[in-house]
Amino acid sequence: MRAQLAKAFGGVRGIIEAAVPTIAFTVSWITTEDLKLSLIISVALSVLLLVARIVQRSTPQFVINSLIGIAIGAFFASRTGDAKDYFLPGILWNATYMVAMLVSIVTRWPVVGFLIGSVTGDPTAWHKDPGVVRLCSRLTWLLMLPCAVRVAVQGPVYLFGGGDQAVAALGFAKIVMGWPLQVAAFAAMLWVLGRGRTPIKPVAPA
């Protein structure tokens, strides 16, 4: 399960690819206050990262996910003319993801189980073992925590902040609370997994 989780999160390269466009947008906006230029730089870098993946024939999944998020943020900001709206989709996404994971825990179909199932090729086999369900619930709590922290911190900045300070704060928060928080949650998940053997009981044949 540890190896499967590591594969699902994309590794160090995925972390860098997710952070670069946001850093570029934030720095460009702070130095030029040109929204159009900042959006072009951010989207262009995302496209270049995607092209690099394709040329190297490595999986473009994580770059595509990042590019979609960047494109949606760019659309929001270009429509309103407010650079702060570049970060709104991310806040809404984290809020939605947080609620979805909470519901999955309550209904005893935790999200981490499906994450592991997507890697193993059988999305629901893990649910046959109550021990694995409990383990996946604990792991889902840990996975949900970064989303909750992002919404709690970035939401008020977006709602009540203004001007360059709000954009800088949101850019900084998105970077610091992006993959670093995710990696911390991942480390906590690995610690939980490392406390003992994964509780898997043999499933009786049908």
Side-chain angles (χ1 to χ4, degrees):
M1 290 181 72
R2 287 192 289 271
Q4 291 159 2
L5 282 173
K7 182 179 177 181
F9 276 96
V12 174
R13 183 172 178 176
I15 295 172
I16 296 172
E17 289 169 339
V20 165
T22 298
I23 295 172
F25 173 84
T26 304
V27 171
S28 176
W29 169 255
I30 292 173
T31 56
T32 68
E33 293 193 4
D34 187 328
L35 178 59
K36 184 176 181 180
L37 175 63
S38 301
L39 293 174
I40 290 174
I41 291 173
S42 179
V43 173
L45 280 173
S46 297
V47 172
L48 284 175
L49 291 170
L50 177 60
V51 171
R53 282 279 191 174
I54 294 173
V55 170
Q56 295 173 356
R57 297 183 178 181
S58 60
T59 176
Q61 172 190 347
F62 302 101
V63 180
I64 291 174
N65 292 343
S66 176
L67 180 58
I68 291 172
I70 295 297
I72 294 174
F75 174 78
F76 272 58
S78 63
R79 293 287 292 178
T80 65
D82 190 343
K84 189 171 64 173
D85 286 333
Y86 177 84
F87 302 96
L88 178 59
I91 297 172
L92 296 177
W93 169 252
N94 276 281
T96 302
Y97 201 18
M98 178 182 67
V99 172
M101 283 192 282
L102 182 59
V103 171
S104 77
I105 294 169
V106 172
T107 58
R108 295 187 58 76
W109 282 90
V111 165
V112 169
F114 292 103
L115 180 64
I116 294 170
S118 69
V119 176
T120 61
D122 191 335
T124 60
W126 57 272
H127 196 261
K128 298 174 183 177
D129 191 301
V132 174
V133 173
R134 288 192 297 271
L135 174 63
C136 289
S137 293
R138 291 195 293 270
L139 296 175
T140 302
W141 278 112
L142 293 172
L143 189 61
M144 184 183 75
L145 187 58
C147 295
V149 172
R150 291 175 195 134
V151 172
V153 174
Q154 296 175 30
V157 175
Y158 173 82
L159 291 173
F160 305 114
D164 291 350
Q165 290 182 343
V167 174
L170 286 168
F172 179 77
K174 183 171 182 177
I175 295 165
V176 172
M177 296 181 177
W179 277 108
L181 265 186
Q182 207 68 48
V183 169
F186 186 35
M189 292 164 73
L190 291 178
W191 179 80
V192 170
L193 288 170
R195 292 177 63 188
R197 297 183 62 186
T198 304
I200 299 179
K201 298 177 182 178
V203 180

